[in-house]
């Protein structure tokens, strides 16, 4: 296995390759470094097979979508990832052959709902779930400290003690650790119960990252910032979230709400299907198409996407355009599926 850490900064990108077959993956590539990555791959004579984000990042723009376009590499993320341009969604236990190597994905939600860790050859890439002597924050973008504790204690700490830990970030100049070291020495986890961990995380005095929505929303939607004016955090926080059962109930009564699906057409007609009667208006065209909607400003509208993230953006946009009764399907089509509600394809 050939392994390189590429950015030399706070955000870490790793190159993992099989030397026998000259195939590589990039883990958590950052958009400002695309030329460096391509030069590195060419220099090492490696073909880029896949690009992987360990989760939807809030602190840097991902290079995955652009690298996928430029090289044809498969864009791979967890099933819960909100972005439309993911070629392969993985779940806990799935694997990816990389020449003579096998990457195994562990679902490690907590920092975000779409967090994965990647195990290969005695090494685990832990994203922002487990860091060296620390853990990723769990206070925004769907974070859940209890889930994070379960991911770390139940899944990551079940790996052999000698497993090398490589996180997506480090702010203190550490470069590597092991599962055994973190189990013994990580101050947030060693000797802590789940409740103690949740209390500790809730008490961390962390300011929200600057420009967080300007990074998150393009990463979540795979849209450029100039394609759309993204809503502010305050506007997003005001979006009313309804569970699948509530939408199903609304659809059973007259008059039904207008259901707007803001995914891409390939997703609308893809294997997740769509809510019966839903109208397709991809997020990138929503602002231009909304004035032509044959809905009154006071009509009930429910917006839908894959995981409920892009549609929250859509709901905030529609609200800002003057539509008064807009709700978001919480958890999107993934939650609609989990609730076994009717589908159209
Ligand atoms: Fe993160």
């Amino acid at each position: 296995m050939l392994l390189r850490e590429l950015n030399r900064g706070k955000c870490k990108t790793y190159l993992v390759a099989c030397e026998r077959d000259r195939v590589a993956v990039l883990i958590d590539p950052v958009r400002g470094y695309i030329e460096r990555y391509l030069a590195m791959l060419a220099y090492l004579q490696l073909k880029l097979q896949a690009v992987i984000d360990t989760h939807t990042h809030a602190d840097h723009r991902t290079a995955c979508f652009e690298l996928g376009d430029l090289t044809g590499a498969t864009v791979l993320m967890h099933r819960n990832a909100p972005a439309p341009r993911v070629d392969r969604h993985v779940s806990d236990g799935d694997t990816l052959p990389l020449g003579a190597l096998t990457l195994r994905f562990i679902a490690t939600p907590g920092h975000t709902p779409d967090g994965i860790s990647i195990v290969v050859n005695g090494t685990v890439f832990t994203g922002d779930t487990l860091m060296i002597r620390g853990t990723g924050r769990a206070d925004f973008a769907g974070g859940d400290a209890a889930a994070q504790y379960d991911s770390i204690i139940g899944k990551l700490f079940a790996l052999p003690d000698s497993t090398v830990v490589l996180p997506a970030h480090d702010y203190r100049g550490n470069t590597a650790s092991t599962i055994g070291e973190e189990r013994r020495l990580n101050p947030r986890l060693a000797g802590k119960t789940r409740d103690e961990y949740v209390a500790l995380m809730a008490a961390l005095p962390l300011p929200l990252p600057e420009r967080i929505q300007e990074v998150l929303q393009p990463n979540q939607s795979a849209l450029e910032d100039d394609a759309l004016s993204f809503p502010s955090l305050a506007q997003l926080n005001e979006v009313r979230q309804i569970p699948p059962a509530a939408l199903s109930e609304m659809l059973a009564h007259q008059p039904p709400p207008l259901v707007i699906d803001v995914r891409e057409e390939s997703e609308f007609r893809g294997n997740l299907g769509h809510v019966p009667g839903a109208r397709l208006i991809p997020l990138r065209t929503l602002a231009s198409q909304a004035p032509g909607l044959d809905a009154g400003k006071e009509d009930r509208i429910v917006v839908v996407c894959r995981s409920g993230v892009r549609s929250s953006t859509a709901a905030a946009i529609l609200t800002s355009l003057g539509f008064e009764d807009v709700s978001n399907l919480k958890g999107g089509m993934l939650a609609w599926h989990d609730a076994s509600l009717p589908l159209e394809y």
Side-chain angles (χ1 to χ4, degrees):
M1 179 168 85
L2 186 151
L3 170 63
R4 294 268 194 289
E5 190 209 310
L6 298 183
N7 302 339
R8 308 239 170 270
K10 290 174 180 168
C11 296
K12 300 197 176 287
T13 299
Y14 299 100
L15 170 82
V16 177
C18 164
E19 287 164 292
R20 187 193 73 185
D21 292 355
R22 313 306 303 175
V23 284
V25 298
L26 284 170
I27 299 174
D28 293 323
V30 173
R31 204 165 72 141
Y33 296 127
I34 288 175
E35 283 163 21
R36 180 194 291 199
Y37 302 146
L38 294 176
M40 186 73 156
L41 288 160
Y43 177 75
L44 294 170
Q45 297 182 302
L46 297 169
K47 178 176 161 45
L48 187 62
Q49 181 180 320
V51 283
I52 304 171
D53 266 345
T54 55
H55 61 288
T56 301
H57 295 282
D59 58 345
H60 65 262
R61 291 287 298 278
T62 178
C64 277
F65 310 130
E66 210 167 330
L67 282 169
D69 282 350
L70 287 168
T71 67
T74 301
V75 177
L76 184 151
M77 289 186 79
H78 184 259
R79 176 174 187 269
N80 291 343
R85 283 165 61 188
V86 176
D87 301 311
R88 183 174 168 206
H89 288 106
V90 292
S91 299
D92 193 59
D94 285 353
T95 58
L96 174 74
L98 180 71
L101 305 169
T102 300
L103 277 58
R104 181 165 60 87
F105 303 100
I106 312 179
T108 47
H111 172 64
T112 64
D114 61 358
I116 49 173
S117 296
I118 305 159
V119 180
V120 54
N121 221 16
T123 298
V124 61
F125 299 91
T126 54
D128 290 350
T129 305
L130 173 66
M131 297 188 194
I132 300 175
R133 307 297 190 267
T135 58
R137 60 194 295 177
D139 59 335
F140 65 80
D144 177 339
Q148 189 178 27
Y149 183 88
D150 294 341
S151 291
I152 296 171
I153 302 293
K155 291 179 171 175
L156 296 176
F157 284 2
L159 296 169
D161 271 4
S162 59
T163 309
V164 174
V165 172
L166 294 175
H169 288 100
D170 187 81
Y171 305 98
R172 292 183 286 256
N174 301 305
T175 49
S177 179
T178 63
I179 288 292
E181 250 182 70
E182 292 308 313
R183 199 206 329 255
R184 285 194 312 277
L185 302 173
N186 193 307
R188 291 204 182 156
L189 298 155
K192 296 270 193 305
T193 65
R194 191 174 192 255
D195 287 348
E196 286 166 345
Y197 181 74
V198 171
L200 184 155
M201 293 302 279
L204 291 178
L206 297 170
L208 276 186
E210 259 176 66
R211 298 157 52 88
I212 168 176
Q213 290 303 330
E214 290 166 47
V215 173
L216 257 181
Q217 292 184 87
N219 282 348
Q220 290 163 343
S221 63
L223 290 174
E224 292 302 314
D225 9 22
D226 53 9
L228 200 67
S229 60
F230 288 108
S232 68
L233 185 57
Q235 289 174 305
L236 288 170
N237 283 339
E238 276 168 25
V239 171
R240 190 188 319 132
Q241 305 283 340
I242 63 166
L247 174 55
S248 166
E249 182 74 26
M250 285 160 81
L251 288 168
H253 293 92
Q254 289 299 326
L258 172 62
V259 178
I260 299 177
D261 192 314
V262 300
R263 293 175 296 166
E264 296 298 310
E265 177 156 13
S266 58
E267 299 176 272
F268 187 76
R269 314 223 174 272
N271 57 7
L272 280 180
H274 52 262
V275 173
R279 177 151 358 148
L280 174 66
I281 306 181
L283 178 59
R284 69 196 145 73
T285 68
L286 182 67
S288 58
Q289 288 201 48
L293 273 179
D294 51 8
K297 292 275 159 132
E298 61 294 323
D299 287 357
R300 275 194 307 180
I301 297 176
V302 180
V303 280
V304 179
C305 68
R306 176 181 172 81
S307 73
V309 171
R310 271 177 284 163
S311 52
S312 290
T313 295
I317 289 172
L318 288 172
T319 302
S320 73
L321 292 172
F323 292 93
E324 292 163 12
D325 190 355
V326 185
S327 304
N328 180 49
L329 176 63
K330 188 168 186 241
M333 288 309 297
L334 293 171
W336 186 263
H337 261 256
D338 290 347
S340 303
L341 289 162
L343 291 164
E344 229 168 46
Y345 289 92

